[in-house]
Amino acid sequence: MDNAFGKPLVPPFDPYANSLNFIIASYVIPYVGLTGYVGANRLLSATSRELVPPYGVAVEEFTNRISILRSKLGIRGLKDEGIIVPTGLGAEGRVKGNILAGDVNSLAYSRTPEERLRIIYGSGDEHVRGGFYPKGESGHIAQSYLK
């Protein structure tokens, strides 16, 4: 954060100090991942066919199955797609390479806090912790569902 402001912040920025700081700090990762994914788009078709050892399953199938699971756990319909989608479902109905799951207007699907918790907990229930957060998330919103 010091680099973002061009000077040391006083007190030093702590991404774990509170929920707001964590959200601000988390802005760094998704956009880097997304733009890196977009930059690698031309490679996705070839990569999607590669087999993941030792399973003998293609990257595309892993991605599709994870996407199906996230939609199932979220319980609010299709809000996820794999790497390759039918052309009609791709951006503006014209492409089949998929960088960011979105609707026919290329607008990203939104997820409620409940949907997000159902997915990251892996339980399909925002009240049941697990998955990436076996002890549950510590933020105010997440904790409100665990009480």
Side-chain angles (χ1 to χ4, degrees), residues 81 89-92 100-109:
E81 301 163 343
L89 295 178
E92 282 93 36
L100 178 64
D103 64 15
V104 296
N105 298 312
S106 296
L107 297 175
Y109 297 114

Side-chain angles (χ1 to χ4, degrees), residues 5-145:
F5 282 88
K7 64 180 183 179
L9 295 177
V10 178
F13 184 84
D14 178 359
Y16 303 105
N18 55 56
S19 296
L20 187 57
N21 281 22
F22 187 80
I23 289 170
I24 291 169
S26 71
Y27 291 160
V28 174
I29 303 301
Y31 296 107
V32 172
L34 175 61
T35 55
Y37 210 41
V38 171
N41 188 30
R42 61 184 177 77
L43 306 173
L44 289 179
S45 292
T47 303
S48 69
R49 292 187 294 269
E50 287 183 21
L51 298 181
V52 178
Y55 309 104
V57 176
V59 169
E60 179 180 3
E61 185 172 347
F62 263 99
T63 305
N64 288 339
R65 287 177 180 258
I66 291 167
S67 293
I68 290 166
L69 177 62
R70 285 189 298 232
S71 285
K72 178 181 172 185
L73 290 171
I75 310 176
R76 293 278 164 78
L78 176 69
K79 292 191 177 180
D80 218 308
E81 301 163 343
I83 293 176
I84 307 295
V85 297
T87 303
L89 295 178
E92 282 93 36
R94 291 186 252 161
V95 297
K96 62 182 183 175
N98 197 24
I99 299 299
L100 178 64
D103 64 15
V104 296
N105 298 312
S106 296
L107 297 175
Y109 297 114
S110 67
R111 286 197 169 105
T112 64
E114 297 90 348
E115 290 172 288
R116 191 177 84 47
L117 290 169
R118 291 174 196 145
I119 294 165
I120 63 172
Y121 287 167
S123 64
D125 184 335
E126 63 272 22
H127 303 96
V128 179
R129 62 193 87 180
F132 283 105
Y133 296 95
K135 296 181 181 179
E137 281 194 358
S138 61
H140 173 72
I141 294 170
Q143 286 295 305
S144 73
Y145 289 102

